[in-house]
């Protein structure tokens, strides 16, 4: 395999190669710049930033802004820091990701291995969910949450994200299971396994790569969501993104840029972590089924 | 009443009927092979016996119990799939006992059954491995072990050897036959390979276009094929089928066949009923191995005819030499001894064992003699 890739790579001279790497390094630096600004400024005292040295390395190194952003910064009216909202986000993200992934897997299983009449139309309709803009569902969703008594609660947000995410997770799992050998399902049927036994014992253990794709996708989207959080969350269920906005947009007092930078990094850390831990499965899972071997 | 009855069974997808009134009765301990080209409906029929496909009309009975609508796991059948269908996430041992586990067999019994089967198939050393770490032949054995462990009434095999390389396929073929002789189980086996069908079966159902063309023992199918499809599908190289005209000579019916130079040779029939076809065109079927040189002709045959014809091509294959000639305007293949003195372009006197010749009606393609 690796031999084949080497053979198909374009052969270039040393000068061209140097040029290519130069351009690549420049692009990499350019893309790293925002992260650099954020990290550098989150470990400086405020005077160093307001003094005009945005791009400079810190003269005095301090973790004070991080501590403040986490536990004592003014969010709205309460000086709680971001920590309670961080837990709000976790309480929302974990069940929402888990439920939407399991539902997507079940949908994919049914749509590929328990075919029924008009199943492609059903799949098409589910797929349609991927293309509906967030804004369209805001008002009907608010009404529905109110009717169900879930308005302003974490479970309300979980429901919204599950409903919105099932379209994507179904798409992933359906395409993955479409190339899963049906003979295995038939063998299990003859062996006497039922619908859920086949799902748990045969299908799910072989779904690692696509489950990782689904989890990363759902985790990133739900964690980063602002609109639903801002629209449907109550005082006790606001997620991290909304709190970060409240921290940064505060219209009174001094703008503590170093705290804002630290808060923004804190808000982005979990998704970064998920990518680092599971990222290499991500591409593998996305490619699964498209290329043989 | 057989052990497994397929009674006037049809299968339709919407308005399209893909299996037409199949009627087969299998006795206990029989090895029935369903053979035919792809798309003939043989796998569909097998899946219907397994319960993986619904039966549109008719009945399938196992031990006189109607199986229509019965769940696959409740039919007491086991199936070996073409891809083996081993569960990739389980070890060999778990694969073999999964069915027993699903049927609620207690663990000690499962382990004992697994050990028995493993020693029967000589796969004890593989029990803790995953299917991904096995070779093709090993996977095949595990798949058979999974079927055997349930001790089913009927075994179903869906082209189990087609994923193996040629040599292993021959070995596993013998293995399956040995296993059948040892256990005396009832087997329905699907293949498109006519040699597998001939070697394994006690009876063969040759299928084409959703019809059972002929049902019979391998010998019946080979010697008295019901029609031209069966005649040419079974046997390798295929039976030669060539136009001939029936004429009565000295009170005996003969086939008049045109040689390469346009002259006619007269090949006498062994069957008297060919007199009814006097003066008419027929299609004459001659198996390659019944055209030989004089020395290799069957001594027991009462009807050896001779003809001198030009050899077009010779193909030495080691054990035999295949000789192609033009007969009745067609390429006809003869299967000669490897040391027969044949040369391309030369004339040669062939001995034709007409006792084994088959005649077909050119319109219906059905056999008229023997």
């Amino acid at each position: 395999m690796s031999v084949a890739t080497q053979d198909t790579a374009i052969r270039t001279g040393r000068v061209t190669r140097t040029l290519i790497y130069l351009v690549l390094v420049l692009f990499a630096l350019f893309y790293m710049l925002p992260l650099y600004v954020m990290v550098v400024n989150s470990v400086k005292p405020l005077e160093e930033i307001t003094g005009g040295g945005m791009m400079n390395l810190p003269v005095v190194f301090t973790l004070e802004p991080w501590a403040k952003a986490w536990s004592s910064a003014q969010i709205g009216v309460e000086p709680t820091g971001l920590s309670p909202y961080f837990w709000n986000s976790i309480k929302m993200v974990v069940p929402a990701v888990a439920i939407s992934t399991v539902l997507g897997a079940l949908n994919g299983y049914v749509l590929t291995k328990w075919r029924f009449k008009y199943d492609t139309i059903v799949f098409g309709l589910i797929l349609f969910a991927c293309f509906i803009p967030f804004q369209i569902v805001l008002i009907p969703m608010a009404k529905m949450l109110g009717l169900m008594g879930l308005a302003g609660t974490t479970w309300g947000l979980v429901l919204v994200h599950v409903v919105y995410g099932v379209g994507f997770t179904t798409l992933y799992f359906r395409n993955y299971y479409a190339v899963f050998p049906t003979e295995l399902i038939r063998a299990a049927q003859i062996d006497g396994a039922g619908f859920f036994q086949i799902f748990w014992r045969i299908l799910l253990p072989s779904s690692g790569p696509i489950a990782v794709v689904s989890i990363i996708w759902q985790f990133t989207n739900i964690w980063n969501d602002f609109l639903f959080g801002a629209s449907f969350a109550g005082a006790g269920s606001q997620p991290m993104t909304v709190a970060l906005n409240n921290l940064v947009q505060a219209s009174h007092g001094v703008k503590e840029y170093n705290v804002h930078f630290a808060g923004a990094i804190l808000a982005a850390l979990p998704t970064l972590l998920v990518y680092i831990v599971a990222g290499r499965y991500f591409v593998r899972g996305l490619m699964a089924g498209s290329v043989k071997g | 009443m057989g052990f497994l009855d397929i009674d006037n069974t049809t299968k339709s997808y919407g308005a399209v009927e893909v299996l037409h009134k199949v009627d087969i009765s299998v006795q206990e301990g029989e090895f029935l092979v369903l053979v035919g080209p792809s798309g003939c409906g043989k796998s569909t029929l097998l899946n219907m016996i397994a319960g993986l496909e619904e039966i549109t009309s008719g009945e399938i009975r196992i031990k006189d119990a109607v199986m229509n609508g019965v769940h696959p796991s409740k039919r007491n059948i086991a199936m070996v799939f073409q891809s083996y269908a081993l569960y990739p996430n389980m070890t060999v041992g778990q694969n073999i006992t999964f069915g027993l586990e699903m049927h609620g067999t207690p663990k000690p019994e499962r382990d004992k059954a697994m050990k028995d089967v493993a020693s029967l198939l000589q796969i004890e050393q593989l029990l803790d491995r995953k299917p991904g770490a096995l070779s093709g032949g090993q996977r095949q054995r595990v798949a058979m072990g999974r079927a055997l462990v349930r001790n089913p009434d009927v075994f179903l095999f869906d082209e189990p050897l087609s994923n193996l390389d040629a040599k292993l396929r021959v070995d596993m073929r013998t293995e399956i036959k040995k296993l059948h002789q040892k256990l005396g189980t009832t087997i329905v086996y699907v293949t498109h390979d006519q040699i597998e069908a001939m070697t394994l079966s006690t009876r063969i159902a040759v299928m084409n276009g959703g019809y059972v063309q002929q049902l019979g023992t391998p010998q019946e199918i080979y010697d008295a094929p019901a029609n031209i499809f069966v005649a040419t599908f079974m046997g390798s190289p295929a039976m030669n089928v060539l136009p001939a005209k029936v004429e009565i000579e000295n009170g005996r019916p003969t086939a008049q066949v045109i040689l390469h130079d346009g002259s006619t040779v007269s090949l006498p029939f062994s069957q008297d009923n060919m007199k009814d076809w006097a003066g008419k065109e027929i299609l004459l079927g001659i198996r390659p191995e019944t055209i030989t040189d004089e020395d290799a002709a069957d001594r027991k045959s009462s009807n050896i005819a001779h003809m001198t014809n030009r050899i077009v091509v010779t193909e030495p294959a080691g054990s035999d030499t295949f000789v192609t000639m033009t007969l009745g305007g067609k390429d006809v293949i003869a299967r000669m001894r490897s040391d027969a003195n044949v040369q391309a372009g030369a004339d040669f006197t062939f001995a034709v064992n007409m006792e084994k010749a088959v005649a077909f009606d050119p319109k219906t393609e059905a056999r008229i003699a023997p």
Side-chain angles (χ1 to χ4, degrees), chain A residues 135-153:
Chain A
Q135 291 78 357
I136 288 180
V137 300
L138 281 182
I139 291 167
M141 186 58 88
K143 179 84 182 159
M144 289 304 295
L145 289 175
L147 284 176
M148 285 185 282
L150 290 171
T153 64

Side-chain angles (χ1 to χ4, degrees), chain A residues 39-290:
Chain A
V39 173
V40 162
N41 288 305
S42 71
V43 293
K44 283 178 194 171
L46 188 58
E47 310 83 68
E48 284 190 38
I49 304 175
T50 47
M54 263 278 258
M55 302 299 290
N56 300 344
L57 287 168
V59 179
V60 182
F61 178 85
T62 171
L63 285 176
E64 183 63 28
W66 283 72
K68 194 170 180 191
W70 180 248
S71 56
S72 65
Q74 191 81 21
I75 312 286
V77 289
E78 301 282 339
T80 55
L82 288 169
S83 65
Y85 303 96
F86 181 86
W87 296 117
N88 280 350
S89 270
I90 295 280
K91 275 186 261 175
M92 168 188 75
V93 168
V94 172
V97 170
I99 294 170
S100 61
T101 300
V102 170
L103 278 181
L106 267 175
N107 284 347
Y109 170 47
V110 170
L111 286 170
T112 53
K113 305 302 175 200
W114 297 81
R115 306 285 301 269
F116 50 93
K117 219 177 176 184
Y118 306 124
D119 55 355
T120 48
I121 296 176
V122 171
F123 176 56
L125 289 175
I126 294 177
L127 203 58
F128 200 59
C130 303
F131 303 108
I132 298 174
F134 278 22
Q135 291 78 357
I136 288 180
V137 300
L138 281 182
I139 291 167
M141 186 58 88
K143 179 84 182 159
M144 289 304 295
L145 289 175
L147 284 176
M148 285 185 282
L150 290 171
T153 64
T154 300
W155 285 106
L157 281 175
V158 169
L159 177 72
V160 176
H161 286 300
V162 166
V163 169
Y164 222 91
V166 150
F168 288 98
T169 55
T170 301
L171 169 69
Y172 294 146
F173 279 97
R174 195 210 81 106
N175 289 351
Y176 190 76
Y177 291 154
V179 292
F180 190 87
T182 304
E183 280 197 345
L184 280 172
I185 310 293
R186 297 188 147 192
Q189 273 180 286
I190 290 176
D191 272 343
F195 178 87
F196 284 105
Q197 276 170 324
I198 293 175
F199 183 62
W200 287 115
R201 300 284 301 272
I202 313 290
L203 217 51
L204 268 195
S206 306
S207 309
I210 204 66
V212 168
V213 170
S214 175
I215 287 169
I216 290 186
W217 176 267
Q218 283 297 93
F219 188 95
T220 316
N221 274 351
I222 299 174
W223 185 275
N224 287 340
D225 165 69
F226 176 73
L227 188 64
F228 288 153
S231 309
F232 301 133
S237 61
Q238 279 181 340
M240 189 81 162
T241 44
V242 177
L244 182 67
N245 177 64
N246 292 347
L247 168 73
V248 176
Q249 300 289 343
S251 51
H252 50 82
V254 187
K255 288 251 183 211
E256 294 179 294
Y257 292 113
N258 52 354
V259 177
H260 297 173
F261 280 126
I265 297 173
L266 278 172
L269 270 183
T271 47
L272 265 179
L273 201 71
V274 167
Y275 266 109
I276 291 165
V277 171
R280 66 199 176 100
Y281 298 102
F282 187 64
V283 179
R284 212 182 291 172
L286 278 181
M287 300 286 290
S290 58

Side-chain angles (χ1 to χ4, degrees), chain B residues 46-67:
Chain B
L46 194 77
N47 285 337
M48 283 159 75
I49 301 173
L52 298 170
E53 300 250 18
E54 276 172 34
I55 300 160
T56 309
S57 75
E59 264 183 15
I60 290 180
R61 294 185 296 273
I62 298 176
K63 285 181 164 176
D64 289 337
V66 178
M67 288 295 140

Side-chain angles (χ1 to χ4, degrees), chain B residues 292-311:
Chain B
T292 55
D293 54 339
E294 179 58 36
D295 293 342
D298 189 349
R299 302 264 166 253
K300 289 191 181 131
S301 173
S302 59
N303 186 5
I304 302 282
H306 295 90
M307 64 176 178
T308 302
N309 204 1
R310 177 142 318 152
I311 294 170

Side-chain angles (χ1 to χ4, degrees), chain B residues 102-290:
Chain B
M102 290 296 116
H103 281 81
T105 313
K107 182 120 177 41
E109 274 179 53
R110 292 205 307 256
D111 288 345
K112 189 184 173 301
M114 177 181 79
K115 287 210 178 76
D116 291 348
V117 165
S119 75
L120 178 71
L121 294 169
Q122 296 162 350
I123 50 173
E124 290 113 320
Q125 73 285 3
L126 305 176
L127 287 175
D128 294 325
R129 290 211 214 151
K130 291 271 175 74
L134 302 180
S135 69
Q138 289 170 331
R139 284 182 205 181
Q140 172 70 60
R141 278 166 194 274
V142 176
M144 291 209 300
R146 193 170 63 180
L148 281 170
V149 78
R150 303 243 328 263
N151 199 17
D153 291 332
V154 181
F155 282 95
L156 308 174
F157 285 83
D158 189 4
E159 308 218 16
L161 303 182
S162 55
N163 280 357
L164 300 176
D165 61 64
K167 191 182 173 324
L168 200 54
R169 195 179 306 166
V170 176
D171 293 346
M172 289 308 292
R173 201 169 71 198
T174 317
E175 202 91 346
I176 291 176
K177 184 143 193 175
K178 270 193 213 155
L179 211 60
H180 177 243
Q181 281 169 357
K182 193 164 166 186
L183 303 173
T185 45
T186 311
I187 295 178
V188 181
Y189 186 107
V190 161
T191 181
H192 62 265
D193 181 346
Q194 48 91 18
I195 296 179
E196 259 174 49
M198 292 292 294
T199 50
L200 285 171
S201 67
T202 57
R203 268 201 305 164
I204 299 177
V206 184
M207 297 181 68
N208 190 33
Y211 289 96
V212 174
Q213 302 285 338
Q214 189 174 7
L215 177 67
T217 64
Q219 204 60 44
E220 285 166 11
I221 301 262
Y222 196 74
D223 288 344
N227 53 38
I228 289 181
F229 172 79
V230 177
T232 49
F233 189 78
M234 304 301 288
S236 173
M239 180 188 267
N240 301 299
V241 178
L242 47 132
K245 194 172 181 193
V246 181
E247 263 167 35
I248 313 285
E249 277 177 13
N250 307 325
R252 266 186 100 177
T254 60
Q256 304 292 320
V257 180
I258 296 165
L259 296 172
H260 76 101
D261 55 2
S263 62
T264 306
V265 67
S266 164
L267 303 170
F269 279 110
S270 291
Q271 295 84 20
D272 260 1
N273 69 334
M274 286 312 296
K275 279 182 182 166
D276 305 345
W277 287 77
K280 290 183 194 158
E281 294 286 336
I282 57 150
L283 289 170
L284 180 65
I286 308 174
R287 294 247 175 235
E289 64 272 20
T290 62

